[in-house]
Amino acid sequence: MTSLSKPLASAIEAIGDTPLVELSRITRSEDGQILAKLDYLNPGFSKKDRIARQIIEDAEAEGTLRPGQTVVELTSGNTGTGLAIVCGIRGYPFVAVMSKGNSTERARMMRALGAEVVLVDQLPESKPGQVSGGDLALVETQAQRIVAERKAFRADQFRLRGNFRAHYLHTGPEFLRQSGGSEAMLHHGGIHAFCDFVGTGGSFAGCAAAFKEHDPSIQCFVVEPEGAAILAGQAVTYPNHRIQGGGYSMAHLPLLNPAHVDGYVQVSDEAAVQMARRLAREEGIFAGFSSGANVAAALHLLRGPCRGKTVAVIICDSGLKYLSTDLWS
Ligand SMILES: Cc1ncc(COP(=O)(O)O)c(C=O)c1O
């Protein structure tokens, strides 16, 4: 656990150990609690700082990353920001490859942190702010080309175990430790359920593994966009949804263990947007679309299979990353 009573060696040490907050205003008239982990308070303003640190530390330990070697990753902006911070401090040049469909704040922030940002055009039918699986495939091709050209280390968030391990070793255990002494614990016996909007599936997989190991009865729900719920086995009718950072309509996510999935929840763009706005207005939590999706899904669970229970969610990133979008008026 990070000690805040003395100076830290670098901003890398300030990653993780984020606060857990009960959303008691949003659940005022509900039967049950939502516990929200404020991962937007990480140095790069998202939960992805955690995986950036873990992927680089694991690669250093395994010898797959040489001193001074260039690091490349495909990113919707958050992993890239985390990698820009970690690579900058540890002395690795970093190239972020991102779709032009992601908000411009992200590219600017990565550049400010010393990253080289390569922006990739969207498919002709795609819209800015709505990055589809097809758009992501174009970004992947570019990322692979740059890795080959520069003999770089690919910080492959969809495949490397560091993504899973960051949440298995830290986020999940933090949730369990922090919910131990809460009001929710006293009245209802800790965390009963967890729901998470899935991109790579790393957060879901790592937290679910930690939760199931602690107590197999903790129910874990995958959150997907309405119309792009491929993991739930539904037809993809709306790939260009607005919930940035996930919902890529990829049928197979290498890090996700289907045995840990107890159910699926779908959230519409509108529900994610409305809940992000409620989080800001009612709880003072200024977060992005996917955080809104997570809380909207948690509320849906409290009104259904998790009535009277405590549902845990991650507040994935900061609302500041969406100032150029119409999330905020
Ligand atoms: C804002 C945001 N929300 C959710 C996710 C999905 O998280 P994961 O990749 O761990 O499934 C991401 C991933 O990049 C993200 O940036």
Side-chain angles (χ1 to χ4, degrees), residues 46-48 51 75-79 106 157-158 163 167 196-204 243-248 253 288-291 294 316-317 322:
S46 95
K47 64 179 181 175
K48 292 294 196 164
I51 77 159
T75 176
S76 65
N78 284 331
T79 302
R106 294 159 182 252
Q157 57 173 325
F158 278 89
N163 181 356
H167 300 293
D196 194 47
F197 179 74
V198 164
T200 64
S203 312
F204 177 91
I243 311 174
Q244 291 188 35
Y248 298 124
L253 294 173
F289 290 93
S290 65
S291 308
N294 281 344
C316 309
D317 70 354
Y322 305 93

mmCIF file of all heavy atoms in Angstrom, residues 46-48 51 75-79 106 157-158 163 167 196-204 243-248 253 288-291 294 316-317 322, ligand 1:
data_model
loop_
_atom_site.group_PDB
_atom_site.id
_atom_site.type_symbol
_atom_site.label_atom_id
_atom_site.label_comp_id
_atom_site.label_asym_id
_atom_site.label_seq_id
_atom_site.Cartn_x
_atom_site.Cartn_y
_atom_site.Cartn_z
ATOM 1 N N SER A 46 -6.916 8.031 -15.242
ATOM 2 C CA SER A 46 -7.684 6.830 -15.588
ATOM 3 C C SER A 46 -7.102 5.596 -14.917
ATOM 4 O O SER A 46 -5.948 5.583 -14.475
ATOM 5 C CB SER A 46 -7.729 6.611 -17.100
ATOM 6 O OG SER A 46 -6.711 5.716 -17.514
ATOM 7 N N LYS A 47 -7.945 4.539 -14.916
ATOM 8 C CA LYS A 47 -7.533 3.247 -14.350
ATOM 9 C C LYS A 47 -6.392 2.617 -15.137
ATOM 10 O O LYS A 47 -5.716 1.710 -14.653
ATOM 11 C CB LYS A 47 -8.729 2.297 -14.329
ATOM 12 C CG LYS A 47 -9.261 1.934 -15.720
ATOM 13 C CD LYS A 47 -10.424 0.963 -15.636
ATOM 14 C CE LYS A 47 -10.929 0.591 -17.025
ATOM 15 N NZ LYS A 47 -11.983 -0.440 -16.966
ATOM 16 N N LYS A 48 -6.180 3.074 -16.370
ATOM 17 C CA LYS A 48 -5.198 2.438 -17.242
ATOM 18 C C LYS A 48 -3.750 2.709 -16.833
ATOM 19 O O LYS A 48 -2.840 2.044 -17.316
ATOM 20 C CB LYS A 48 -5.442 2.865 -18.685
ATOM 21 C CG LYS A 48 -6.745 2.320 -19.247
ATOM 22 C CD LYS A 48 -6.680 0.803 -19.368
ATOM 23 C CE LYS A 48 -7.767 0.262 -20.259
ATOM 24 N NZ LYS A 48 -7.511 -1.113 -20.681
ATOM 25 N N ILE A 51 -2.313 -0.549 -15.516
ATOM 26 C CA ILE A 51 -1.825 -1.602 -16.417
ATOM 27 C C ILE A 51 -0.537 -1.157 -17.099
ATOM 28 O O ILE A 51 0.310 -1.981 -17.404
ATOM 29 C CB ILE A 51 -2.902 -2.062 -17.425
ATOM 30 C CG1 ILE A 51 -3.092 -1.075 -18.576
ATOM 31 C CG2 ILE A 51 -4.231 -2.342 -16.742
ATOM 32 C CD1 ILE A 51 -3.742 -1.712 -19.790
ATOM 33 N N THR A 75 -4.133 2.531 -28.532
ATOM 34 C CA THR A 75 -4.799 3.053 -27.339
ATOM 35 C C THR A 75 -6.001 3.901 -27.718
ATOM 36 O O THR A 75 -6.033 4.504 -28.791
ATOM 37 C CB THR A 75 -3.789 3.898 -26.507
ATOM 38 O OG1 THR A 75 -4.461 4.487 -25.403
ATOM 39 C CG2 THR A 75 -3.134 4.992 -27.326
ATOM 40 N N SER A 76 -7.003 3.917 -26.810
ATOM 41 C CA SER A 76 -8.094 4.880 -26.985
ATOM 42 C C SER A 76 -7.720 6.147 -26.217
ATOM 43 O O SER A 76 -8.530 7.041 -26.054
ATOM 44 C CB SER A 76 -9.407 4.294 -26.479
ATOM 45 O OG SER A 76 -9.350 4.092 -25.092
ATOM 46 N N GLY A 77 -6.488 6.183 -25.729
ATOM 47 C CA GLY A 77 -5.984 7.384 -25.066
ATOM 48 C C GLY A 77 -5.573 7.145 -23.632
ATOM 49 O O GLY A 77 -4.566 7.671 -23.186
ATOM 50 N N ASN A 78 -6.322 6.313 -22.919
ATOM 51 C CA ASN A 78 -6.018 6.146 -21.497
ATOM 52 C C ASN A 78 -4.792 5.271 -21.252
ATOM 53 O O ASN A 78 -3.919 5.641 -20.455
ATOM 54 C CB ASN A 78 -7.236 5.583 -20.767
ATOM 55 C CG ASN A 78 -8.286 6.660 -20.549
ATOM 56 O OD1 ASN A 78 -7.948 7.836 -20.439
ATOM 57 N ND2 ASN A 78 -9.542 6.267 -20.478
ATOM 58 N N THR A 79 -4.700 4.137 -21.917
ATOM 59 C CA THR A 79 -3.509 3.299 -21.741
ATOM 60 C C THR A 79 -2.284 4.067 -22.224
ATOM 61 O O THR A 79 -1.218 4.008 -21.610
ATOM 62 C CB THR A 79 -3.654 1.976 -22.521
ATOM 63 O OG1 THR A 79 -4.832 1.318 -22.042
ATOM 64 C CG2 THR A 79 -2.458 1.063 -22.306
ATOM 65 N N ARG A 106 -7.105 13.655 -25.544
ATOM 66 C CA ARG A 106 -6.257 12.504 -25.238
ATOM 67 C C ARG A 106 -4.917 12.608 -25.966
ATOM 68 O O ARG A 106 -3.861 12.375 -25.380
ATOM 69 C CB ARG A 106 -6.973 11.222 -25.644
ATOM 70 C CG ARG A 106 -8.201 10.979 -24.805
ATOM 71 C CD ARG A 106 -9.161 10.043 -25.489
ATOM 72 N NE ARG A 106 -10.347 9.856 -24.682
ATOM 73 C CZ ARG A 106 -10.623 8.736 -24.030
ATOM 74 N NH1 ARG A 106 -9.836 7.702 -24.111
ATOM 75 N NH2 ARG A 106 -11.709 8.643 -23.295
ATOM 76 N N GLN A 157 -2.039 -4.511 -24.753
ATOM 77 C CA GLN A 157 -2.989 -4.582 -23.630
ATOM 78 C C GLN A 157 -4.062 -5.645 -23.800
ATOM 79 O O GLN A 157 -4.657 -6.082 -22.817
ATOM 80 C CB GLN A 157 -3.616 -3.221 -23.355
ATOM 81 C CG GLN A 157 -4.334 -2.610 -24.531
ATOM 82 C CD GLN A 157 -5.066 -1.334 -24.139
ATOM 83 O OE1 GLN A 157 -5.588 -1.212 -23.043
ATOM 84 N NE2 GLN A 157 -5.094 -0.364 -25.035
ATOM 85 N N PHE A 158 -4.323 -6.055 -25.055
ATOM 86 C CA PHE A 158 -5.344 -7.091 -25.250
ATOM 87 C C PHE A 158 -4.815 -8.489 -24.890
ATOM 88 O O PHE A 158 -5.605 -9.385 -24.626
ATOM 89 C CB PHE A 158 -5.848 -7.101 -26.707
ATOM 90 C CG PHE A 158 -6.899 -6.056 -26.952
ATOM 91 C CD1 PHE A 158 -6.533 -4.772 -27.351
ATOM 92 C CD2 PHE A 158 -8.247 -6.328 -26.750
ATOM 93 C CE1 PHE A 158 -7.510 -3.792 -27.556
ATOM 94 C CE2 PHE A 158 -9.221 -5.361 -26.950
ATOM 95 C CZ PHE A 158 -8.850 -4.093 -27.351
ATOM 96 N N ASN A 163 -1.894 -6.648 -17.917
ATOM 97 C CA ASN A 163 -3.195 -5.983 -17.869
ATOM 98 C C ASN A 163 -4.069 -6.676 -16.818
ATOM 99 O O ASN A 163 -4.624 -6.041 -15.914
ATOM 100 C CB ASN A 163 -3.829 -6.010 -19.271
ATOM 101 C CG ASN A 163 -5.185 -5.316 -19.342
ATOM 102 O OD1 ASN A 163 -5.723 -4.864 -18.352
ATOM 103 N ND2 ASN A 163 -5.742 -5.250 -20.543
ATOM 104 N N HIS A 167 -4.974 -5.609 -12.157
ATOM 105 C CA HIS A 167 -6.263 -5.583 -11.450
ATOM 106 C C HIS A 167 -6.420 -6.761 -10.486
ATOM 107 O O HIS A 167 -7.060 -6.632 -9.452
ATOM 108 C CB HIS A 167 -7.398 -5.551 -12.482
ATOM 109 C CG HIS A 167 -7.319 -4.347 -13.370
ATOM 110 N ND1 HIS A 167 -7.525 -3.070 -12.902
ATOM 111 C CD2 HIS A 167 -7.000 -4.209 -14.686
ATOM 112 C CE1 HIS A 167 -7.370 -2.211 -13.895
ATOM 113 N NE2 HIS A 167 -7.039 -2.872 -14.981
ATOM 114 N N ASP A 196 -18.737 -4.346 -14.859
ATOM 115 C CA ASP A 196 -17.670 -3.580 -15.494
ATOM 116 C C ASP A 196 -17.830 -3.541 -17.011
ATOM 117 O O ASP A 196 -17.997 -4.585 -17.659
ATOM 118 C CB ASP A 196 -16.318 -4.210 -15.132
ATOM 119 C CG ASP A 196 -15.162 -3.288 -15.453
ATOM 120 O OD1 ASP A 196 -15.233 -2.095 -15.090
ATOM 121 O OD2 ASP A 196 -14.195 -3.749 -16.080
ATOM 122 N N PHE A 197 -17.770 -2.323 -17.552
ATOM 123 C CA PHE A 197 -17.814 -2.098 -19.000
ATOM 124 C C PHE A 197 -16.492 -2.576 -19.595
ATOM 125 O O PHE A 197 -15.417 -2.130 -19.180
ATOM 126 C CB PHE A 197 -18.026 -0.608 -19.274
ATOM 127 C CG PHE A 197 -18.064 -0.264 -20.730
ATOM 128 C CD1 PHE A 197 -19.167 -0.580 -21.505
ATOM 129 C CD2 PHE A 197 -16.989 0.374 -21.331
ATOM 130 C CE1 PHE A 197 -19.202 -0.263 -22.847
ATOM 131 C CE2 PHE A 197 -17.014 0.690 -22.675
ATOM 132 C CZ PHE A 197 -18.128 0.374 -23.434
ATOM 133 N N VAL A 198 -16.578 -3.451 -20.583
ATOM 134 C CA VAL A 198 -15.411 -4.184 -21.045
ATOM 135 C C VAL A 198 -14.833 -3.629 -22.351
ATOM 136 O O VAL A 198 -15.563 -3.408 -23.315
ATOM 137 C CB VAL A 198 -15.807 -5.674 -21.224
ATOM 138 C CG1 VAL A 198 -14.802 -6.425 -22.042
ATOM 139 C CG2 VAL A 198 -15.973 -6.328 -19.863
ATOM 140 N N GLY A 199 -13.514 -3.391 -22.310
ATOM 141 C CA GLY A 199 -12.778 -3.040 -23.526
ATOM 142 C C GLY A 199 -11.875 -4.212 -23.860
ATOM 143 O O GLY A 199 -12.235 -5.117 -24.608
ATOM 144 N N THR A 200 -10.669 -4.234 -23.221
ATOM 145 C CA THR A 200 -9.828 -5.431 -23.329
ATOM 146 C C THR A 200 -10.355 -6.536 -22.434
ATOM 147 O O THR A 200 -10.000 -7.700 -22.604
ATOM 148 C CB THR A 200 -8.389 -5.124 -22.859
ATOM 149 O OG1 THR A 200 -8.427 -4.787 -21.457
ATOM 150 C CG2 THR A 200 -7.769 -3.984 -23.643
ATOM 151 N N GLY A 201 -11.140 -6.158 -21.418
ATOM 152 C CA GLY A 201 -11.603 -7.131 -20.417
ATOM 153 C C GLY A 201 -10.611 -7.307 -19.272
ATOM 154 O O GLY A 201 -10.862 -8.097 -18.357
ATOM 155 N N GLY A 202 -9.505 -6.585 -19.287
ATOM 156 C CA GLY A 202 -8.478 -6.733 -18.252
ATOM 157 C C GLY A 202 -8.981 -6.368 -16.859
ATOM 158 O O GLY A 202 -8.713 -7.088 -15.889
ATOM 159 N N SER A 203 -9.719 -5.266 -16.757
ATOM 160 C CA SER A 203 -10.222 -4.854 -15.429
ATOM 161 C C SER A 203 -11.217 -5.875 -14.912
ATOM 162 O O SER A 203 -11.167 -6.278 -13.753
ATOM 163 C CB SER A 203 -10.929 -3.495 -15.489
ATOM 164 O OG SER A 203 -10.167 -2.560 -16.187
ATOM 165 N N PHE A 204 -12.147 -6.265 -15.802
ATOM 166 C CA PHE A 204 -13.145 -7.257 -15.385
ATOM 167 C C PHE A 204 -12.442 -8.540 -14.949
ATOM 168 O O PHE A 204 -12.698 -9.063 -13.864
ATOM 169 C CB PHE A 204 -14.127 -7.565 -16.522
ATOM 170 C CG PHE A 204 -15.113 -8.641 -16.128
ATOM 171 C CD1 PHE A 204 -16.312 -8.293 -15.549
ATOM 172 C CD2 PHE A 204 -14.798 -9.982 -16.295
ATOM 173 C CE1 PHE A 204 -17.209 -9.285 -15.127
ATOM 174 C CE2 PHE A 204 -15.680 -10.977 -15.879
ATOM 175 C CZ PHE A 204 -16.886 -10.621 -15.294
ATOM 176 N N ILE A 243 -19.791 4.977 -26.129
ATOM 177 C CA ILE A 243 -19.126 4.716 -24.842
ATOM 178 C C ILE A 243 -17.644 4.400 -25.105
ATOM 179 O O ILE A 243 -17.267 3.249 -25.327
ATOM 180 C CB ILE A 243 -19.849 3.589 -24.066
ATOM 181 C CG1 ILE A 243 -21.374 3.868 -24.041
ATOM 182 C CG2 ILE A 243 -19.292 3.485 -22.647
ATOM 183 C CD1 ILE A 243 -22.201 2.754 -23.434
ATOM 184 N N GLN A 244 -16.819 5.449 -25.095
ATOM 185 C CA GLN A 244 -15.411 5.318 -25.494
ATOM 186 C C GLN A 244 -14.636 4.431 -24.510
ATOM 187 O O GLN A 244 -14.853 4.491 -23.307
ATOM 188 C CB GLN A 244 -14.749 6.697 -25.546
ATOM 189 C CG GLN A 244 -15.275 7.561 -26.677
ATOM 190 C CD GLN A 244 -14.480 8.857 -26.833
ATOM 191 O OE1 GLN A 244 -13.280 8.896 -26.633
ATOM 192 N NE2 GLN A 244 -15.170 9.918 -27.204
ATOM 193 N N GLY A 245 -13.715 3.628 -25.075
ATOM 194 C CA GLY A 245 -12.833 2.788 -24.245
ATOM 195 C C GLY A 245 -13.202 1.316 -24.263
ATOM 196 O O GLY A 245 -12.496 0.500 -23.680
ATOM 197 N N GLY A 246 -14.295 0.962 -24.921
ATOM 198 C CA GLY A 246 -14.671 -0.460 -24.936
ATOM 199 C C GLY A 246 -15.841 -0.713 -25.842
ATOM 200 O O GLY A 246 -16.199 0.126 -26.672
ATOM 201 N N GLY A 247 -16.440 -1.896 -25.705
ATOM 202 C CA GLY A 247 -17.583 -2.268 -26.533
ATOM 203 C C GLY A 247 -17.197 -2.385 -27.992
ATOM 204 O O GLY A 247 -17.885 -1.883 -28.873
ATOM 205 N N TYR A 248 -16.045 -3.061 -28.240
ATOM 206 C CA TYR A 248 -15.490 -3.112 -29.598
ATOM 207 C C TYR A 248 -16.058 -4.239 -30.451
ATOM 208 O O TYR A 248 -15.533 -4.523 -31.529
ATOM 209 C CB TYR A 248 -13.960 -3.249 -29.536
ATOM 210 C CG TYR A 248 -13.282 -2.072 -28.873
ATOM 211 C CD1 TYR A 248 -12.441 -2.268 -27.783
ATOM 212 C CD2 TYR A 248 -13.478 -0.772 -29.326
ATOM 213 C CE1 TYR A 248 -11.816 -1.193 -27.158
ATOM 214 C CE2 TYR A 248 -12.862 0.307 -28.705
ATOM 215 C CZ TYR A 248 -12.034 0.083 -27.624
ATOM 216 O OH TYR A 248 -11.432 1.143 -27.011
ATOM 217 N N LEU A 253 -12.026 -12.183 -26.258
ATOM 218 C CA LEU A 253 -11.065 -11.339 -25.545
ATOM 219 C C LEU A 253 -10.126 -12.271 -24.783
ATOM 220 O O LEU A 253 -10.556 -12.956 -23.842
ATOM 221 C CB LEU A 253 -11.800 -10.396 -24.572
ATOM 222 C CG LEU A 253 -12.687 -9.344 -25.233
ATOM 223 C CD1 LEU A 253 -13.497 -8.589 -24.183
ATOM 224 C CD2 LEU A 253 -11.840 -8.357 -26.044
ATOM 225 N N GLY A 288 -16.165 9.918 -17.089
ATOM 226 C CA GLY A 288 -16.503 9.777 -18.502
ATOM 227 C C GLY A 288 -17.672 8.840 -18.776
ATOM 228 O O GLY A 288 -18.350 8.374 -17.851
ATOM 229 N N PHE A 289 -17.877 8.564 -20.069
ATOM 230 C CA PHE A 289 -19.009 7.752 -20.523
ATOM 231 C C PHE A 289 -19.028 6.356 -19.871
ATOM 232 O O PHE A 289 -20.078 5.883 -19.440
ATOM 233 C CB PHE A 289 -18.931 7.534 -22.044
ATOM 234 C CG PHE A 289 -19.182 8.754 -22.879
ATOM 235 C CD1 PHE A 289 -18.131 9.552 -23.311
ATOM 236 C CD2 PHE A 289 -20.469 9.090 -23.277
ATOM 237 C CE1 PHE A 289 -18.352 10.667 -24.109
ATOM 238 C CE2 PHE A 289 -20.712 10.197 -24.083
ATOM 239 C CZ PHE A 289 -19.644 10.989 -24.495
ATOM 240 N N SER A 290 -17.858 5.683 -19.851
ATOM 241 C CA SER A 290 -17.870 4.283 -19.387
ATOM 242 C C SER A 290 -18.140 4.207 -17.892
ATOM 243 O O SER A 290 -18.717 3.216 -17.418
ATOM 244 C CB SER A 290 -16.557 3.583 -19.744
ATOM 245 O OG SER A 290 -15.475 4.157 -19.052
ATOM 246 N N SER A 291 -17.752 5.236 -17.147
ATOM 247 C CA SER A 291 -18.074 5.262 -15.715
ATOM 248 C C SER A 291 -19.583 5.401 -15.552
ATOM 249 O O SER A 291 -20.195 4.749 -14.696
ATOM 250 C CB SER A 291 -17.369 6.435 -15.023
ATOM 251 O OG SER A 291 -15.995 6.423 -15.326
ATOM 252 N N ASN A 294 -21.035 2.035 -16.187
ATOM 253 C CA ASN A 294 -20.869 1.122 -15.045
ATOM 254 C C ASN A 294 -21.900 1.396 -13.954
ATOM 255 O O ASN A 294 -22.495 0.474 -13.400
ATOM 256 C CB ASN A 294 -19.456 1.255 -14.446
ATOM 257 C CG ASN A 294 -18.415 0.509 -15.256
ATOM 258 O OD1 ASN A 294 -18.748 -0.337 -16.086
ATOM 259 N ND2 ASN A 294 -17.150 0.817 -15.018
ATOM 260 N N CYS A 316 -13.813 4.852 -14.296
ATOM 261 C CA CYS A 316 -12.663 4.524 -15.167
ATOM 262 C C CYS A 316 -11.768 5.702 -15.502
ATOM 263 O O CYS A 316 -10.543 5.573 -15.524
ATOM 264 C CB CYS A 316 -13.161 3.927 -16.469
ATOM 265 S SG CYS A 316 -14.326 2.580 -16.246
ATOM 266 N N ASP A 317 -12.372 6.830 -15.856
ATOM 267 C CA ASP A 317 -11.536 7.976 -16.233
ATOM 268 C C ASP A 317 -12.255 9.291 -15.970
ATOM 269 O O ASP A 317 -13.435 9.309 -15.584
ATOM 270 C CB ASP A 317 -11.013 7.861 -17.679
ATOM 271 C CG ASP A 317 -12.084 8.026 -18.747
ATOM 272 O OD1 ASP A 317 -13.280 8.120 -18.411
ATOM 273 O OD2 ASP A 317 -11.712 8.068 -19.942
ATOM 274 N N TYR A 322 -13.353 14.509 -21.834
ATOM 275 C CA TYR A 322 -14.476 14.596 -22.772
ATOM 276 C C TYR A 322 -15.010 16.020 -22.900
ATOM 277 O O TYR A 322 -16.151 16.215 -23.308
ATOM 278 C CB TYR A 322 -15.592 13.636 -22.320
ATOM 279 C CG TYR A 322 -15.085 12.230 -22.157
ATOM 280 C CD1 TYR A 322 -14.642 11.774 -20.914
ATOM 281 C CD2 TYR A 322 -14.989 11.362 -23.241
ATOM 282 C CE1 TYR A 322 -14.134 10.487 -20.762
ATOM 283 C CE2 TYR A 322 -14.484 10.083 -23.102
ATOM 284 C CZ TYR A 322 -14.054 9.658 -21.857
ATOM 285 O OH TYR A 322 -13.543 8.386 -21.708
HETATM 286 C C1 LIG B 1 -12.522 4.990 -20.310
HETATM 287 C C2 LIG B 1 -12.385 3.502 -20.362
HETATM 288 N N1 LIG B 1 -13.377 2.764 -19.877
HETATM 289 C C3 LIG B 1 -13.330 1.404 -19.917
HETATM 290 C C4 LIG B 1 -12.264 0.747 -20.507
HETATM 291 C C5 LIG B 1 -12.272 -0.753 -20.570
HETATM 292 O O1 LIG B 1 -11.360 -1.339 -19.639
HETATM 293 P P1 LIG B 1 -10.700 -2.727 -19.927
HETATM 294 O O2 LIG B 1 -9.790 -2.571 -21.098
HETATM 295 O O3 LIG B 1 -9.938 -3.061 -18.680
HETATM 296 O O4 LIG B 1 -11.798 -3.696 -20.216
HETATM 297 C C6 LIG B 1 -11.208 1.496 -21.026
HETATM 298 C C7 LIG B 1 -10.078 0.837 -21.683
HETATM 299 O O5 LIG B 1 -9.284 1.442 -22.369
HETATM 300 C C8 LIG B 1 -11.261 2.911 -20.943
HETATM 301 O O6 LIG B 1 -10.271 3.673 -21.451
#
